[in-house]
Amino acid sequence: MPSMRDILTFSNDGPPEGATPWVVEPRPVPIDVVDPDPRWPETFDKVAGRVRSALGARVLALEHVGSTAVPGLPAKPIVDIDLIVADPSDEAGWVPPLEREGFVLTVREPWWHEHRVMKLADPATNLHIFSPAAPEPWKHRIFRDHLRRDERDRELYASAKREAASASTSAGETVMAYNARKERVIREIYERAFRAAGFAERA
């Protein structure tokens, strides 16, 4: 389990010198933020079933996160899922079964909570893999649950997403730049989400 401080702390550390997180280099693509689709939870259920079938007991937790997990929130039509496994560095144990399901390893960041990403083309899915000690899945759930409850922050985030998507698409940027354009608003919402969840103020 991560500590409270780990959950409340944000790290923007890049890769160590000479390292890259990219197994598959991202390319600039149009960022399409669409109206909410009530079928997204069903899509998660189907993909989650494939992950559980492939990995069995290696699945310690599997959560629908990101904007497609928030009813009423516009989103890129890509389902984000957090998968917790005992040891993400043991790729031989969990990567091949997921590859047989069509997932492709695209990101490897052992320096950042042992994070990996595998992508599925159909249905479009980002599967984020973390260890049990990683704070990010806790952050993701707190953020998701806050947006499910708080209409004002949900509308604020929707506006930020549409503005960022328009600007990034016009500039021919990657999705990483799109994410960076939303960061200020995301951090503001996180502060309110942490307080609402009962976390102590940061030192």
Side-chain angles (χ1 to χ4, degrees):
M1 287 281 294
S3 69
M4 181 181 295
R5 179 174 292 277
D6 288 339
I7 293 171
L8 297 178
T9 299
F10 292 90
S11 171
N12 289 325
D13 294 342
E17 185 175 354
T20 176
W22 304 114
V23 179
V24 177
E25 193 76 25
R27 296 176 300 161
V29 294
I31 307 297
D32 190 19
V33 173
V34 302
D35 291 337
D37 187 334
R39 295 172 296 180
W40 283 333
E42 180 182 345
T43 299
F44 163 74
D45 288 339
K46 291 179 179 178
V47 176
R50 292 170 64 176
V51 173
R52 291 187 185 280
S53 177
L55 297 184
R58 287 184 180 269
V59 176
L60 301 184
L62 202 60
E63 288 276 349
H64 187 190
V65 296
S67 295
T68 62
V70 180
L73 182 63
K76 301 190 309 298
I78 303 171
V79 171
D80 283 291
I81 301 175
D82 280 349
L83 165 65
I84 308 298
V85 299
D87 183 7
S89 69
D90 179 23
E91 294 183 9
W94 57 268
V95 169
L98 290 173
E99 287 178 332
R100 289 193 287 271
E101 285 292 328
F103 288 88
V104 176
L105 183 66
T106 60
V107 173
R108 179 188 289 116
E109 299 179 288
W111 56 85
W112 191 66
H113 314 302
E114 290 290 350
H115 178 235
R116 273 78 168 164
V117 176
M118 296 192 79
K119 289 183 178 289
L120 184 66
D122 186 19
T125 303
N126 293 329
L127 183 66
H128 298 266
I129 297 91
F130 290 101
S131 77
E136 289 306 302
W138 283 94
K139 288 185 174 75
H140 295 166
R141 293 196 294 273
I142 291 166
F143 192 79
R144 176 199 66 191
D145 293 348
H146 176 76
L147 290 178
R148 286 174 173 176
R149 292 187 301 264
D150 193 300
E151 182 178 2
R152 181 175 296 181
D153 274 343
R154 192 164 59 245
E155 292 176 353
L156 173 64
Y157 191 38
S159 177
K161 287 160 66 69
R162 292 195 187 280
E163 290 176 9
S166 177
S168 289
T169 297
S170 296
E173 297 173 340
T174 67
V175 71
M176 301 303 292
Y178 160 76
N179 290 337
R181 288 179 180 274
K182 299 184 298 176
E183 186 173 18
R184 180 185 60 80
V185 169
I186 288 174
R187 294 291 176 85
E188 290 177 3
I189 295 173
Y190 259 119
E191 290 289 346
R192 291 188 284 274
F194 287 147
R195 288 197 298 271
F199 284 91
E201 294 290 337
R202 267 181 269 180

